[in-house]
C-alpha cells in the first residue's frame, strides 16, 4: 500500500505532523482551503476584468452617441458656409482619433 509520509515509512508517528508543520510544511486541510480560496479569488478577478471591459465599451458607445447628437444639433444651427468649414474641421480632427484607436487595439 501507499506510505502515508513522503519518506516511505509505513508507520504513523504522532509527532510527525507537528514536526512537518514546524519545518515549514502545510496542513493538508489548510492547503485545500487555500486552493478553494485561490480559485474563488481567480473567479472574482476574472469577473472584475469582464466588468471593466464592459464598462469601457459602454463608455465608448455612450460618448460616441452623445457626441453625434451634440454634433447634429450644433451642425444644424450653423449657416451653410460654416457647415462646410465645420465638416472640414471634423474630418481633420478625426485623423488622430482614428490613429489612437488603431494603436490601442
Amino acid at each position: 500500500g501507499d506510505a502515508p509520509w513522503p519518506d516511505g515509512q509505513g508507520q504513523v508517528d504522532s509527532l510527525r505532523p507537528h514536526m512537518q508543520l514546524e519545518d515549514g510544511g502545510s496542513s493538508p486541510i489548510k492547503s485545500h482551503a487555500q486552493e478553494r480560496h485561490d480559485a474563488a479569488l481567480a473567479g472574482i478577478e476574472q469577473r472584475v476584468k469582464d466588468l471593466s471591459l464592459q464598462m469601457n465599451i459602454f463608455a465608448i458607445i455612450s460618448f460616441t452617441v452623445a457626441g453625434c447628437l451634440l454634433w447634429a444639433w450644433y451642425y444644424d444651427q450653423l449657416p451653410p458656409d460654416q457647415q462646410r468649414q465645420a465638416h472640414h474641421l471634423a474630418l481633420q480632427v478625426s485623423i488622430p482619433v482614428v490613429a489612437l484607436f488603431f494603436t490601442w487595439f
Side-chain angles (χ1 to χ4, degrees):
D2 292 352
W5 309 111
D7 60 7
Q9 294 178 351
Q11 186 176 2
V12 177
D13 183 7
S14 63
L15 296 178
R16 180 84 174 156
H18 177 69
M19 290 169 43
Q20 182 182 7
L21 290 174
E22 273 188 359
D23 293 339
S26 62
S27 167
I29 295 172
K30 189 171 186 178
S31 67
H32 292 298
Q34 186 65 36
E35 288 177 18
R36 286 193 310 271
H37 182 262
D38 292 345
L41 281 180
I44 291 171
E45 289 174 358
Q46 184 60 41
R47 287 182 186 151
V48 168
K49 286 179 186 178
D50 291 344
L51 181 61
S52 176
L53 176 65
Q54 291 171 357
M55 291 303 295
N56 286 334
I57 291 171
F58 176 72
I60 289 170
I61 291 171
S62 298
F63 285 121
T64 302
V65 169
C68 289
L69 290 173
L70 184 63
W71 171 259
W73 175 80
Y74 176 74
Y75 189 75
D76 286 341
Q77 304 296 321
L78 295 175
D81 61 329
Q82 288 183 347
Q83 283 183 357
R84 283 190 294 279
Q85 190 178 22
H87 181 73
H88 182 72
L89 183 62
L91 288 176
Q92 288 179 338
V93 169
S94 70
I95 294 170
V97 172
V98 171
L100 284 174
F101 279 119
F102 278 115
T103 57
W104 287 343
F105 304 108

